[in-house]
């Protein structure tokens, strides 16, 4: 669940999409996430280039993204992880992320769901 910040999440993605991007992921700062106990998914490089978390601040993927239709060209129609298309974008140097200024709540398990309910009730 995304809690809107200064701008709507979809507007943030739209504003950062350009002709040099094949995959653009919306990221959240760890201190703005609830119900998530991980150490983050990615770090950001120059121009928002996504890289595996490492040096620098780590961010968590919110689940919201824009993918260029060309990434699917020639792909067999079958269940597949989105990571397969991210890998294509990364190989082409066109895998980017943008940090969302609102909150993000992971609700994929009972504990995260309970934390989200508490956070929403406090608003």
């Amino acid at each position: 669940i995304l809690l809107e910040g200064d701008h709507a999440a979809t507007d943030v993605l739209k504003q950062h999409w350009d002709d040099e991007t094949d995959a653009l992921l919306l990221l959240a700062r760890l201190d703005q996430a609830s119900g998530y106990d991980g150490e983050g998914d990615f770090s950001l490089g120059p121009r928002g280039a996504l890289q595996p978390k490492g040096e620098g601040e780590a961010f968590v993927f919110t689940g919201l993204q824009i993918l260029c239709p060309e990434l699917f060209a020639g792909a067999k129609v079958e269940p597949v992880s989105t990571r397969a298309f991210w890998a294509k974008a990364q190989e082409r140097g066109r895998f980017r992320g943008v940090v969302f200024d609102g909150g993000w709540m992971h609700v994929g398990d009972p504990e995260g769901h309970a934390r989200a309910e508490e956070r929403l009730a406090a608003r």
Side-chain angles (χ1 to χ4, degrees):
I1 297 174
L2 292 165
L3 298 174
E4 298 299 346
D6 292 337
H7 302 90
T10 52
D11 288 343
V12 172
L13 281 173
K14 187 168 57 172
Q15 290 168 0
H16 286 85
W17 181 260
D18 61 32
D19 291 338
E20 297 179 13
T21 304
D22 284 347
L24 181 63
L25 280 59
L26 189 72
L27 309 173
R29 288 188 164 77
L30 293 177
D31 65 355
Q32 293 295 315
S34 70
Y36 176 80
D37 295 325
E39 296 177 10
D41 301 312
F42 298 100
S43 293
L44 288 174
R47 294 194 62 243
L50 283 174
Q51 49 202 33
K53 68 179 190 280
E55 292 189 28
E57 186 175 1
F59 300 92
V60 62
F61 172 51
T62 65
L64 194 59
Q65 62 188 314
I66 298 175
L67 299 176
C68 179
E70 292 176 7
L71 290 175
F72 302 95
K76 195 171 160 184
V77 178
E78 63 182 351
V80 63
S81 170
T82 320
R83 291 182 184 273
F85 303 104
W86 293 354
K88 282 184 177 181
Q90 192 164 28
E91 286 170 13
R92 297 173 57 175
R94 299 168 61 94
F95 185 47
R96 295 193 172 73
V98 59
V99 180
F100 182 56
D101 66 351
W104 177 75
M105 299 179 290
H106 171 57
V107 293
D109 58 43
E111 182 180 331
H113 187 268
R115 289 172 70 182
E117 285 184 344
E118 290 171 13
R119 189 169 178 182
L120 290 171
R123 291 187 78 159

